[in-house]
Amino acid sequence: GAGVSQTPSNKVTEKGKYVELRCDPISGHTALYWYRQSLGQGPEFLIYFQGTGAADDSGLPNDRFFAVRPEGSVSTLKIQRTERGDSAVYLCASSPTLAGGGNEQFFGPGTRLTVL
Amino acid sequence: QKEVEQNSGPLSVPEGAIASLNCTYSDRGSQSFFWYRQYSGKSPELIMFIYSNGDKEDGRFTAQLNKASQYVSLLIRDSQPSDSATYLCAVTPYGAGSYQLTFGKGTKLSVIP
Protein backbone atom coordinates (compact mmCIF):
# COMPACT_ATOMS: atom_id res chain seq x y z
CA GLY A 1 0.00 0.00 0.00
CA ALA A 2 0.94 3.66 0.28
CA GLY A 3 3.87 4.78 2.37
CA VAL A 4 3.86 6.89 5.50
CA SER A 5 2.17 10.22 4.93
CA GLN A 6 2.58 13.41 6.92
CA THR A 7 0.70 16.67 6.90
CA PRO A 8 1.32 19.49 6.54
CA SER A 9 4.54 19.30 4.54
CA ASN A 10 5.47 22.77 5.74
CA LYS A 11 4.31 24.75 8.73
CA VAL A 12 5.32 28.29 9.57
CA THR A 13 4.19 29.63 12.90
CA GLU A 14 5.00 32.40 15.32
CA LYS A 15 6.78 31.97 18.60
CA GLY A 16 4.34 31.03 21.35
CA LYS A 17 1.74 29.43 19.06
CA TYR A 18 0.40 25.89 19.20
CA VAL A 19 0.94 23.44 16.33
CA GLU A 20 -0.22 19.95 15.44
CA LEU A 21 1.61 17.65 13.06
CA ARG A 22 -0.12 14.59 11.67
CA CYS A 23 1.23 11.19 10.66
CA ASP A 24 -0.59 8.39 8.86
CA PRO A 25 1.51 5.20 9.00
CA ILE A 26 1.70 2.36 6.53
CA SER A 27 -1.47 0.29 6.77
CA GLY A 28 -1.07 -2.58 9.20
CA HIS A 29 2.03 -1.21 10.90
CA THR A 30 1.55 -1.36 14.63
CA ALA A 31 4.64 0.58 15.65
CA LEU A 32 4.93 4.32 15.05
CA TYR A 33 7.81 6.64 15.82
CA TRP A 34 8.45 10.37 15.78
CA TYR A 35 11.91 11.78 15.15
CA ARG A 36 13.20 15.32 14.76
CA GLN A 37 15.98 16.28 12.34
CA SER A 38 17.86 19.55 12.50
CA LEU A 39 20.02 20.80 9.65
CA GLY A 40 23.21 18.80 9.28
CA GLN A 41 22.20 16.26 11.90
CA GLY A 42 20.77 12.79 11.86
CA PRO A 43 17.21 12.25 13.07
CA GLU A 44 16.74 12.19 16.84
CA PHE A 45 14.20 9.92 18.51
CA LEU A 46 11.24 11.59 20.20
CA ILE A 47 8.55 9.03 20.98
CA TYR A 48 7.44 5.49 20.14
CA PHE A 49 3.93 4.03 20.02
CA GLN A 50 2.99 0.38 20.00
CA GLY A 51 -0.69 0.40 19.20
CA THR A 52 -2.48 3.21 21.00
CA GLY A 53 -0.09 3.68 23.89
CA ALA A 54 3.10 5.69 24.05
CA ALA A 55 5.55 2.97 25.02
CA ASP A 56 8.50 5.35 25.26
CA ASP A 57 8.38 9.14 25.27
CA SER A 58 11.88 9.60 26.68
CA GLY A 59 13.02 11.58 23.65
CA LEU A 60 10.49 14.37 24.01
CA PRO A 61 12.57 17.45 24.91
CA ASN A 62 10.14 18.92 27.46
CA ASP A 63 6.51 19.03 28.49
CA ARG A 64 5.57 21.35 25.64
CA PHE A 65 5.68 18.30 23.39
CA PHE A 66 2.95 15.69 23.44
CA ALA A 67 1.80 13.00 21.03
CA VAL A 68 -1.29 10.83 20.74
CA ARG A 69 -2.43 7.86 18.69
CA PRO A 70 -6.00 7.30 19.89
CA GLU A 71 -7.07 4.54 17.50
CA GLY A 72 -3.72 2.90 16.93
CA SER A 73 -3.26 4.30 13.45
CA VAL A 74 -2.95 8.06 12.83
CA SER A 75 -0.76 9.96 15.26
CA THR A 76 -0.60 13.65 16.08
CA LEU A 77 2.43 15.40 17.53
CA LYS A 78 1.42 18.50 19.45
CA ILE A 79 3.74 21.34 20.38
CA GLN A 80 2.59 24.07 22.75
CA ARG A 81 4.12 27.54 23.14
CA THR A 82 6.49 26.98 20.23
CA GLU A 83 10.01 28.35 20.43
CA ARG A 84 12.46 29.19 17.65
CA GLY A 85 14.58 26.23 18.72
CA ASP A 86 11.71 23.91 17.79
CA SER A 87 12.34 24.66 14.11
CA ALA A 88 13.30 21.40 12.42
CA VAL A 89 11.95 18.66 10.19
CA TYR A 90 9.66 16.35 12.13
CA LEU A 91 9.77 12.83 10.75
CA CYS A 92 7.33 10.04 11.37
CA ALA A 93 8.20 6.39 10.78
CA SER A 94 6.36 3.12 11.11
CA SER A 95 7.33 -0.53 11.27
CA PRO A 96 5.32 -3.74 11.12
CA THR A 97 6.52 -5.21 14.38
CA LEU A 98 8.81 -4.60 17.28
CA ALA A 99 9.64 -8.27 17.78
CA GLY A 100 13.18 -9.56 17.56
CA GLY A 101 15.59 -7.84 15.26
CA GLY A 102 13.09 -6.77 12.62
CA ASN A 103 12.12 -3.22 13.32
CA GLU A 104 12.85 -1.84 9.88
CA GLN A 105 11.46 1.66 10.11
CA PHE A 106 10.04 3.42 7.07
CA PHE A 107 9.95 7.19 7.13
CA GLY A 108 7.39 9.63 5.87
CA PRO A 109 8.29 12.79 3.93
CA GLY A 110 8.41 14.91 7.08
CA THR A 111 6.93 18.21 8.19
CA ARG A 112 9.24 21.19 8.05
CA LEU A 113 8.37 23.39 11.03
CA THR A 114 9.60 26.97 11.09
CA VAL A 115 9.01 29.06 14.18
CA LEU A 116 9.49 32.77 13.54
CA GLN B 1 25.67 8.64 25.87
CA LYS B 2 25.30 6.29 22.93
CA GLU B 3 27.07 7.69 19.89
CA VAL B 4 27.26 6.87 16.22
CA GLU B 5 30.10 8.48 14.33
CA GLN B 6 30.42 9.06 10.62
CA ASN B 7 32.79 11.13 8.54
CA SER B 8 30.67 14.00 7.26
CA GLY B 9 32.47 14.09 3.91
CA PRO B 10 31.92 15.01 1.24
CA LEU B 11 33.20 11.76 -0.19
CA SER B 12 33.75 12.11 -3.92
CA VAL B 13 34.11 9.07 -6.17
CA PRO B 14 34.10 8.77 -9.96
CA GLU B 15 31.20 7.06 -11.67
CA GLY B 16 31.70 3.30 -11.77
CA ALA B 17 34.00 3.20 -8.75
CA ILE B 18 33.35 1.63 -5.35
CA ALA B 19 32.19 4.01 -2.65
CA SER B 20 33.05 2.99 0.92
CA LEU B 21 31.12 4.55 3.77
CA ASN B 22 32.11 3.92 7.37
CA CYS B 23 30.43 4.14 10.75
CA THR B 24 31.54 3.43 14.31
CA TYR B 25 29.31 3.12 17.36
CA SER B 26 30.02 3.43 21.06
CA ASP B 27 27.44 1.03 22.58
CA ARG B 28 28.93 -2.46 22.52
CA GLY B 29 25.46 -3.85 23.19
CA SER B 30 24.07 -2.54 19.90
CA GLN B 31 22.00 -5.17 18.14
CA SER B 32 20.83 -3.97 14.75
CA PHE B 33 22.46 -1.75 12.17
CA PHE B 34 20.81 0.19 9.40
CA TRP B 35 21.89 2.26 6.43
CA TYR B 36 19.56 4.96 5.16
CA ARG B 37 19.98 7.15 2.09
CA GLN B 38 18.73 10.72 2.25
CA TYR B 39 18.52 12.94 -0.78
CA SER B 40 18.63 16.67 -0.17
CA GLY B 41 15.29 17.89 1.13
CA LYS B 42 13.87 14.38 1.34
CA SER B 43 13.32 11.89 4.14
CA PRO B 44 15.58 8.92 4.93
CA GLU B 45 15.08 5.83 2.79
CA LEU B 46 16.08 2.43 4.13
CA ILE B 47 18.76 0.73 2.02
CA MET B 48 19.95 -2.17 4.13
CA PHE B 49 20.10 -3.62 7.60
CA ILE B 50 22.47 -6.12 9.16
CA TYR B 51 22.43 -7.98 12.47
CA SER B 52 25.24 -10.52 12.27
CA ASN B 53 28.98 -10.17 11.87
CA GLY B 54 30.17 -10.42 8.31
CA ASP B 55 28.88 -9.23 4.98
CA LYS B 56 25.39 -8.86 3.60
CA GLU B 57 24.89 -8.14 -0.08
CA ASP B 58 21.89 -6.64 -1.86
CA GLY B 59 22.44 -5.74 -5.48
CA ARG B 60 25.18 -3.11 -5.71
CA PHE B 61 25.19 -2.62 -1.94
CA THR B 62 27.17 -4.58 0.65
CA ALA B 63 26.92 -3.96 4.37
CA GLN B 64 29.78 -5.15 6.55
CA LEU B 65 29.59 -5.55 10.32
CA ASN B 66 32.41 -6.12 12.80
CA LYS B 67 31.00 -6.09 16.32
CA ALA B 68 34.39 -6.62 17.96
CA SER B 69 35.63 -3.40 16.38
CA GLN B 70 32.21 -1.72 16.71
CA TYR B 71 32.34 -0.86 13.06
CA VAL B 72 29.83 -1.07 10.24
CA SER B 73 30.37 -0.07 6.63
CA LEU B 74 28.46 0.24 3.39
CA LEU B 75 30.05 -0.46 0.03
CA ILE B 76 28.40 0.76 -3.14
CA ARG B 77 29.73 -0.93 -6.28
CA ASP B 78 29.52 0.65 -9.74
CA SER B 79 28.59 4.00 -8.22
CA GLN B 80 26.15 6.09 -10.22
CA PRO B 81 25.46 9.84 -10.10
CA SER B 82 22.02 8.95 -8.75
CA ASP B 83 23.77 7.52 -5.67
CA SER B 84 24.81 11.05 -4.71
CA ALA B 85 23.12 11.65 -1.37
CA THR B 86 23.78 11.66 2.36
CA TYR B 87 24.10 8.19 3.87
CA LEU B 88 22.96 7.78 7.46
CA CYS B 89 24.10 4.99 9.71
CA ALA B 90 21.72 4.03 12.52
CA VAL B 91 21.91 1.48 15.34
CA THR B 92 19.51 0.07 17.90
CA PRO B 93 20.45 -1.31 21.32
CA TYR B 94 19.83 -4.80 22.59
CA GLY B 95 16.82 -5.29 24.84
CA ALA B 96 15.10 -2.25 26.31
CA GLY B 97 14.83 0.50 23.74
CA SER B 98 15.58 -1.85 20.87
CA TYR B 99 13.20 0.14 18.68
CA GLN B 100 15.07 3.40 19.17
CA LEU B 101 17.28 4.29 16.21
CA THR B 102 20.35 6.31 17.06
CA PHE B 103 21.66 8.01 13.93
CA GLY B 104 25.01 9.38 12.93
CA LYS B 105 25.19 12.77 11.25
CA GLY B 106 25.61 11.15 7.86
CA THR B 107 28.24 11.08 5.14
CA LYS B 108 27.63 13.10 2.01
CA LEU B 109 28.52 11.12 -1.11
CA SER B 110 29.12 12.75 -4.46
CA VAL B 111 29.50 10.53 -7.54
CA ILE B 112 31.21 12.41 -10.32
CA PRO B 113 30.13 11.55 -13.89
Side-chain angles (χ1 to χ4, degrees):
Chain A
V4 178
S5 62
Q6 292 185 247
T7 54
S9 55
N10 280 283
K11 177 69 177 179
V12 180
T13 191
E14 294 180 342
K15 179 176 179 296
K17 299 291 188 182
Y18 168 82
V19 297
E20 289 190 351
L21 312 179
R22 175 189 166 106
C23 171
D24 199 343
I26 293 171
S27 178
H29 281 193
T30 57
L32 184 147
Y33 317 80
W34 284 97
Y35 290 81
R36 178 169 72 172
Q37 186 173 24
S38 300
L39 193 63
Q41 305 294 314
E44 293 179 303
F45 171 81
L46 295 177
I47 188 169
Y48 153 65
F49 288 90
Q50 182 63 252
T52 60
D56 182 354
D57 64 358
S58 63
L60 294 178
N62 51 59
D63 61 7
R64 296 186 297 106
F65 289 74
F66 188 71
V68 296
R69 194 187 185 198
E71 298 179 356
S73 179
V74 171
S75 176
T76 304
L77 178 65
K78 308 180 180 191
I79 309 174
Q80 299 177 317
R81 304 184 303 281
T82 52
E83 298 178 357
R84 292 191 179 88
D86 299 335
S87 297
V89 176
Y90 289 81
L91 295 164
C92 177
S94 69
S95 67
T97 180
L98 173 62
N103 194 28
E104 294 91 69
Q105 297 180 26
F106 299 92
F107 284 83
T111 294
R112 182 175 298 277
L113 175 65
T114 303
V115 182
L116 301 177
Chain B
Q1 180 77 4
K2 299 171 184 175
E3 296 182 345
V4 177
E5 299 287 341
Q6 296 181 256
N7 188 321
S8 62
L11 172 67
S12 294
V13 300
E15 183 175 355
I18 296 175
S20 178
L21 302 160
N22 304 315
C23 172
T24 59
Y25 56 95
S26 63
D27 181 7
R28 186 169 289 279
S30 296
Q31 170 178 267
S32 306
F33 307 85
F34 302 83
W35 283 100
Y36 284 83
R37 176 175 62 197
Q38 187 170 30
Y39 292 112
S40 181
K42 302 296 185 182
S43 62
E45 173 191 5
L46 180 63
I47 300 175
M48 289 190 69
F49 54 90
I50 186 168
Y51 309 127
S52 303
N53 275 327
D55 295 0
K56 179 181 179 182
E57 186 174 318
D58 184 0
R60 295 186 298 112
F61 299 96
T62 299
Q64 299 176 317
L65 175 61
N66 183 327
K67 289 187 176 181
S69 299
Q70 295 175 235
Y71 177 94
V72 58
S73 65
L74 180 70
L75 301 178
I76 307 175
R77 289 181 299 282
D78 188 24
S79 297
Q80 301 297 308
S82 59
D83 295 326
S84 298
T86 295
Y87 289 79
L88 297 164
C89 172
V91 306
T92 61
Y94 178 80
S98 61
Y99 41 80
Q100 207 179 104
L101 290 171
T102 298
F103 283 86
K105 293 183 178 181
T107 297
K108 186 172 183 178
L109 173 66
S110 180
V111 180
I112 311 301

